[in-house]
Amino acid sequence: MTTIAVAETPLTLGLLRLADTALVHSHRLSEWCGHAPMLEEDLALANIALDLLGQARALYTHAAAVEGAGRTEDDLAYRRDAPQFRNVLMAELPRGDFAFTILRGFLLAAHALPFWQATAGSRDATLAAIAAKAEKEAAYHVRHCGEWVIRLGDGTGESRRRMLEALDTLWPYTGELFEVDDADRAVIADGILPDPAVVRAPWDATIDRVFAEAGLDRPAEGWMQSGGRWGRHTEHLGHLLAVMQHLPRAYPDATW
Amino acid sequence: MVSLSDRDRTLAAARAACARVVDPEIPTLSIADLGVLRDVRLGADGVIEVDITPTYSGCPAMRAIALDIEAAIEAAGLGRPRVSLVLTPAWTTDWITPAGREALRRAGIAPPTPGAGRRALFGADELVPCPRCGATDTEKLSEFGSTACKALWRCRACREPFDYFKCH
């Protein structure tokens, strides 16, 4: 496969981080299609995956336009390899069991909702428009996953055990959601993307409220995983991309 | 040189052609009544330009709708149009016209409560009357239904399940 290197300015990098996180998380959710514990949940996870895929497409299209090198959303999704992906690590972890999937969905959506709300006021008009749509979708995702976190955490011994296990695994990946580097600082200063500090308080409030109802203790803030936003990934992303990019890798000229 | 009245006639024909395009997933509902059709205009080069907006970011019907618009404009003898996807202002359920809401109800889909806004993140569901019998004794089965824009509900009075066009 011929890979491409996107010219990374603070803006294209910021857009790729958002788009890659949405796309990779969407792909993990789509792995449940046909396998969810019940039909309604099969529909729900596929629906959430579809929302995220739509957000990723709009973000890639915008990133390609900002880069101005004549690339398309497909080039960005299919012609980069793992080291070029900028998603947070949490999104790429294997799908795990249902409790793991639901908790990951909740942690990411609880961040996405206030993040998109703040981004709806971006000075980048296209990004603001994407955010205005994504915000409404994120509200559904928080509600759906949040209600399941409560049901599983406060459910049977088995559902609770699995939720606690998922929480143990996922919590160290939450730190990446609030990281700030020089590129972030540049787009924050330009009023294009929100300061993670603005997103932190509403995220905390959502987590605390749902965890209290679910009977889950919030883990202590300790050492956090990091690296995805700079292209340093777990071994899982390469396998995900091999599946997701199979068609354009095998047939580079394919269009649809 | 194209006279002004020719341009007007072309534009009127293009608008009429677009108005006949329906949502592929809700074929009783035109894209104009759904609020997906944003603008039809004549470009400086004489090409018809059409703006559409998605209901949800990932709405898989947008591609089909764009193709249907192209086909409708070409069938009207107006050449191949330029169809663009616009995101601003973001579509909300308030863009559905009264005729569109009635078309939804006739198709057995409960229309969104107009101007209801978003409910609290957690808590009671909104009141959704059954599109078949009008009873308000209904319950939500699933937040996510047959398409990205719909939820699955059931009427406790007539026992019929129904789709609810999610309000946002």
Side-chain angles (χ1 to χ4, degrees):
Chain A
M1 181 177 73
T2 319
T3 56
I4 58 167
V6 174
E8 284 188 349
T9 62
L11 181 53
T12 57
L13 179 58
L15 291 170
L16 285 179
R17 283 169 169 170
L18 295 172
D20 290 345
T21 296
L23 179 65
V24 169
H25 186 208
S26 169
H27 187 86
R28 282 299 185 216
L29 286 170
S30 77
E31 292 173 352
W32 278 99
C33 194
H35 301 275
M38 61 180 89
L39 181 60
E40 288 79 2
E41 206 45 41
D42 214 286
L43 287 170
L45 294 176
N47 261 265
I48 295 173
L50 191 59
D51 286 341
L52 294 173
L53 183 64
Q55 293 167 15
R57 291 185 58 185
L59 290 162
Y60 282 133
T61 300
H62 187 38
V66 169
E67 190 198 18
R71 296 195 225 276
T72 66
E73 49 176 320
D74 282 352
D75 292 328
L76 298 186
Y78 292 130
R79 301 198 188 283
R80 290 179 303 141
D81 215 335
Q84 282 93 45
F85 267 71
R86 300 287 179 259
N87 56 285
V88 295
L89 297 173
M90 193 195 295
E92 73 197 45
L93 299 177
R95 77 172 202 197
D97 61 12
F98 184 63
F100 182 89
T101 293
I102 283 297
L103 183 64
R104 166 165 56 190
F106 173 65
L107 294 172
L108 288 174
H111 172 269
L113 179 57
F115 177 87
W116 290 125
Q117 279 169 342
T119 309
S122 172
R123 286 180 52 194
D124 179 326
T126 304
L127 190 56
I130 294 169
K133 290 210 82 62
E135 180 217 327
K136 292 165 187 158
E137 292 154 6
Y140 274 97
H141 306 167
V142 174
R143 202 151 62 218
H144 184 75
C145 295
E147 282 170 0
W148 266 115
V149 169
I150 293 166
R151 212 185 303 181
L152 296 176
D154 190 26
T156 66
E158 177 69 4
S159 74
R160 182 173 173 77
R161 182 186 68 73
R162 287 175 181 240
M163 187 47 76
L164 289 171
E165 219 166 83
L167 184 57
D168 252 5
T169 309
L170 284 167
W171 194 256
Y173 290 92
T174 56
E176 231 181 350
L177 298 172
F178 300 98
E179 282 177 352
V180 180
D181 66 4
D182 285 344
D184 294 316
R185 272 186 279 273
V187 282
I188 292 167
D190 287 346
I192 291 173
L193 284 176
D195 190 327
V198 175
V199 178
R200 185 77 204 206
W203 187 81
D204 280 338
T206 307
I207 299 294
D208 289 344
R209 166 157 186 201
V210 168
F211 279 14
E213 273 198 67
L216 299 171
D217 288 328
R218 186 175 170 144
E221 299 294 333
W223 182 80
M224 289 288 177
Q225 296 278 3
S226 177
R229 300 169 78 250
W230 293 279
R232 292 194 302 275
H233 292 279
T234 66
E235 67 271 33
H236 308 296
L237 183 64
H239 295 276
L240 181 151
L241 294 181
V243 173
M244 193 183 79
Q245 299 176 335
H246 168 76
L247 196 94
R249 286 185 193 211
Y251 305 96
D253 300 334
T255 55
W256 46 81
Chain B
M1 171 108 187
V2 178
S3 74
L4 199 63
S5 59
D6 274 349
R7 288 181 67 94
D8 286 348
R9 267 196 295 277
T10 304
L11 197 52
R15 291 208 165 110
C18 288
R20 285 193 292 273
V21 175
V22 294
D23 182 322
E25 283 167 345
I26 314 166
T28 55
L29 186 61
S30 80
I31 57 167
D33 282 334
L34 184 57
V36 159
L37 181 64
R38 276 289 163 81
D39 193 24
V40 184
R41 56 185 182 271
L42 201 53
D45 56 359
V47 172
I48 305 285
E49 296 175 343
V50 182
D51 287 346
I52 52 176
T53 193
T55 53
Y56 275 70
S57 296
C59 179
M62 294 316 289
R63 188 82 179 259
I65 290 174
L67 284 173
D68 287 348
I69 290 173
E70 285 182 18
I73 299 274
E74 289 199 57
L78 301 170
R80 170 161 293 213
R82 277 192 291 267
V83 182
S84 315
L85 204 63
V86 296
L87 293 175
T88 359
W91 182 91
T92 73
T93 37
D94 293 342
W95 284 82
I96 303 177
T97 65
R101 299 170 54 76
E102 197 41 48
L104 280 173
R105 205 186 330 269
R106 275 201 309 276
I109 300 166
T113 320
R118 282 168 290 140
R119 66 183 175 95
L121 211 45
F122 299 100
D125 285 320
E126 59 265 71
L127 195 69
V128 179
C130 172
R132 296 180 194 280
C133 73
T136 51
D137 185 17
T138 58
E139 63 181 338
K140 182 176 73 186
L141 296 179
S142 171
E143 186 104 66
F144 298 88
S146 56
T147 68
C149 53
K150 297 203 270 335
L152 188 60
W153 284 60
R154 175 167 56 200
C155 176
R156 290 202 189 94
C158 71
R159 309 302 296 167
E160 285 289 329
F162 64 91
D163 271 331
Y164 168 54
F165 206 104
K166 293 193 288 200
C167 188
H168 77 180

